[in-house]
Amino acid sequence: ELKVEQNPLFLSMQEGKNYTIYCNYSTTSDRLYWYRQDPGKSLESLFVLLSNGAVKQEGRLMASLDTKARLSTLHITAAVHDLSATYFCAVDRSSVYTGNQFYFGTGTSLTVIP
Amino acid sequence: GAGVSQSPSNKVTEKGKDVELRCDPISGHTALYWYRQSLGQGLEFLIYFQGNSAPDKSGLPSDRFSAERTGGSVSTLTIQRTQQEDSAVYLCASSLAGGGSTEAFFGQGTRLTVV
């Protein structure tokens, strides 16, 4: 079964600092997704990475994908309080039985301290 | 609608009762998914619909769970004789198609609490 692991599970960081969240997955996949979830809210799509070496940036967040290492990173630059949320990575596997089924990581709960 | 809509947002039910959860996908999205988010279990895939058809129901946790989709649009997830372990957030997602790099859009979820 495809497994997706994230670390750390919990991250507390001060405003202005940088940090990286790691996402490892167990089998070949060319597509990697990052989602953000605020308490009581749904999953908000942040990035869709579709090929090896893909890098995408939005504001203070930058995501990258290394399909050979089966690793994606979400880098946070100069964190601000508004980034406090839980971040999930996910890979997908397509089949006629399950469509484009997502396999999610355990999530990283990020708290940015003023 | 503009996004995936789920109802109710919150549901508290007594153990043994039946509950019905509803999902309205984005208009035109043929693929619809149900996931369950539990404490300590992460996000768990339950079922996929392409149009009104669910090719594989083996992801449903038990035979107390059933799901249907009508008119290629609204889907309902029914849990019969609810148990405390059914307490979770049930998320629905839809996408344009059921394969390839099609992005999935999630609803806000239904938080089910079985007491």
Side-chain angles (χ1 to χ4, degrees):
Chain A
E1 183 180 326
L2 198 162
K3 292 191 182 299
V4 183
E5 294 182 347
Q6 281 180 243
N7 70 84
L9 296 182
F10 298 94
L11 176 56
S12 180
M13 56 190 297
Q14 286 188 314
E15 278 190 333
K17 298 292 186 182
N18 305 332
Y19 207 83
T20 300
I21 299 171
Y22 297 88
C23 174
N24 290 90
Y25 51 97
S26 61
T27 62
T28 303
S29 178
D30 291 332
R31 299 188 291 266
L32 194 290
Y33 305 79
W34 283 97
Y35 285 89
R36 168 181 172 146
Q37 187 178 39
D38 292 287
K41 305 288 187 183
S42 188
L43 295 166
E44 174 192 351
S45 177
L46 293 176
F47 300 107
V48 181
L49 304 169
L50 298 177
S51 61
N52 185 41
V55 177
K56 291 194 174 181
Q57 182 163 5
E58 181 72 35
R60 300 173 187 275
L61 300 178
M62 183 173 72
S64 66
L65 177 61
D66 181 344
T67 59
K68 294 178 182 178
R70 299 175 187 169
L71 170 69
S72 179
T73 61
L74 180 66
H75 187 72
I76 303 157
T77 302
V80 292
H81 181 67
D82 285 351
L83 290 179
S84 297
T86 299
Y87 294 84
F88 291 92
C89 65
V91 296
D92 64 7
R93 175 171 287 170
S94 295
S95 87
V96 295
Y97 301 106
T98 59
N100 212 37
Q101 179 183 346
F102 277 49
Y103 295 81
F104 286 89
T106 47
T108 296
S109 177
L110 170 66
T111 303
V112 180
I113 304 166
Chain B
V4 179
S5 177
Q6 291 186 246
S7 61
S9 298
N10 283 284
K11 177 72 177 177
V12 180
T13 190
E14 291 182 351
K15 179 180 172 181
K17 300 283 190 184
D18 298 351
V19 295
E20 192 172 277
L21 313 180
R22 176 187 169 106
C23 172
D24 269 290
I26 293 172
S27 179
H29 281 194
T30 62
L32 185 147
Y33 304 83
W34 284 97
Y35 288 85
R36 179 168 72 172
Q37 187 174 24
S38 309
L39 279 176
Q41 298 292 324
L43 279 141
E44 172 190 13
F45 170 83
L46 298 180
I47 195 167
Y48 153 71
F49 285 91
Q50 179 57 41
N52 293 333
S53 175
D56 182 1
K57 300 183 180 180
S58 64
L60 295 174
S62 77
D63 58 9
R64 296 184 294 103
F65 286 69
S66 62
E68 66 173 14
R69 189 179 184 195
T70 56
S73 181
V74 172
S75 176
T76 54
L77 178 69
T78 302
I79 309 172
Q80 295 178 308
R81 306 181 302 282
T82 51
Q83 303 294 313
Q84 287 186 328
E85 62 261 28
D86 299 334
S87 296
V89 176
Y90 290 82
L91 290 168
C92 175
S94 71
S95 64
L96 274 172
S101 58
T102 48
E103 189 175 356
F105 297 85
F106 285 81
Q108 82 280 14
T110 293
R111 181 175 296 277
L112 175 66
T113 304
V114 182
V115 297

